[in-house]
Amino acid sequence: MINAVPDVVREACEGFAAAHADLVTLNAEPLYLSRAQMPDQVALISGGGSGHEPLHAGFIGRGMLAAACPGEVFTSPVPDQMLAATQRVAGKKGALYIVKNYTGDVMNFELAAELAAAEGLEVQTVVIGDDVAVQDSTWTAGRRGVGGTVLLEKLAGAAAEEGRDLNGVRQVAEGVIQNVRSMGLALTGATVPAAGTPNFTLGAQELELGIGIHGEPGRARVPMMSADEMVEALLGPVADDLDLKRGEEVIVLTNGMGGTPLLELYIAHRQVLRLLKDRGVTAARNLVGNYVTSLEMQGLSISVLRAGPEQLRLWDAPVMTAALRWGC
């Protein structure tokens, strides 16, 4: 449901900004979105290819991002966008770039940070690679950044909102990156507007285990499973990689890939909680829904963040964005 392929991202951003004018402001050229009212605090800036909505624009607002730079569908934004967004929102307290580990994103954010530094703006960068499915894959060196990005933006955003300095916010972000892991699966491919056909196809009784958010290959193409078996196939590697111990608490995100109804996501989340309980691990906080999507892909991902009292307090802190809001 589009008008013309070259206009997809711009028109979507225009519609988003109009719908949430109390939260965000749209800059048309270069294209980025920023907080409508930017307080005097560390500015969190993220971005990436479009097609993963509500990531990242949906998380602009109190307690999360100051700005987001959308690229074309599944394509990194360019340094000009990031620099302009930094000039807009980074005050004396500086900015933290939150970058998912994809080669184009990392390269362009690094260049933007150099350009910003040349203008006297203080910028630091963190890179998240939380996907346990594969170590190296299409577009990445190392693990891909996926669903854990939402948890990172929430906790780091809360730290910025309460007035921590740039080093303090980065320390919170790095703590999340060290303690969050994710894995996903797909039942269908995603249709990039420029292509007009799904980026991969599966048989009626197949699924792709360990899929990336752009449709990158996963660990294996396997026969269809029940919902409970799917969750077990995802949560096992995530929990093992985190080396979760009995008595620990976690924050859990059961995330839809865009085409999976909430009815099915809650069936999956029920099994996530059961399996964690069997391991003696408590899901202290829960989030279920479509937060890091892949256009209309049917599937889900599970993200688990080891959380102590500090992480839970930052999670519970007020947030007001288009996609997340509580405590305000």
Side-chain angles (χ1 to χ4, degrees), residues 145-229:
V146 288
T149 310
V150 177
L151 310 183
L152 169 59
E153 291 178 355
K154 174 61 182 80
L155 269 65
E161 197 74 38
E162 68 182 21
R164 299 194 194 189
D165 64 14
L166 184 54
N167 288 330
V169 174
R170 178 172 181 168
Q171 186 175 42
V172 169
E174 289 177 337
V176 174
I177 291 168
Q178 292 166 8
N179 288 284
V180 68
R181 301 291 187 273
S182 304
M183 188 169 167
L185 61 79
L187 284 73
T188 67
T191 304
V192 177
T197 56
N199 52 12
F200 65 91
T201 57
L202 291 166
Q205 295 301 316
E206 289 183 317
L207 62 84
E208 186 83 19
L209 185 62
I211 198 73
I213 60 174
H214 307 94
E216 306 97 321
R219 288 189 173 185
R221 187 163 293 190
V222 300
M224 184 59 66
M225 308 173 181
S226 69
D228 285 355
E229 291 170 333

Side-chain angles (χ1 to χ4, degrees), residues 9-10 13-14 17 25-33 70 81 84 88:
V9 173
R10 175 182 56 81
C13 288
E14 289 172 354
T25 297
L26 174 67
N27 188 84
E29 186 59 42
L31 184 64
Y32 67 87
L33 299 111
Q81 293 172 262
R88 165 85 182 206

Side-chain angles (χ1 to χ4, degrees), residues 239-262:
D240 290 345
D241 199 278
L242 273 175
D243 193 24
L244 290 177
K245 301 290 194 299
R246 300 188 71 85
E248 289 193 302
E249 292 187 322
V250 296
I251 299 171
V252 178
L253 167 61
T254 298
N255 173 70
M257 301 305 294
T260 302
L262 277 170

Side-chain angles (χ1 to χ4, degrees), residues 61-143:
R62 179 184 175 187
M64 290 190 78
L65 297 179
C69 304
E72 292 300 316
V73 175
F74 293 179
T75 303
S76 173
V78 298
D80 287 354
Q81 293 172 262
M82 301 154 191
L83 177 61
T86 307
Q87 292 167 332
R88 165 85 182 206
V89 300
K92 294 181 180 179
K93 295 187 177 179
L96 181 69
Y97 287 169
I98 294 178
V99 186
K100 302 187 303 300
N101 187 32
Y102 297 97
T103 302
D105 290 4
V106 172
M107 178 179 65
N108 288 340
F109 270 100
E110 284 180 351
L111 180 54
E114 293 173 4
L115 295 171
E119 295 191 5
L121 299 170
E122 186 177 8
V123 175
Q124 295 186 25
T125 302
V126 294
V127 178
I128 181 168
D130 54 308
D131 189 354
V132 304
V134 289
Q135 179 63 34
D136 298 293
S137 66
T138 310
W139 300 333
T140 63
R143 289 180 167 178

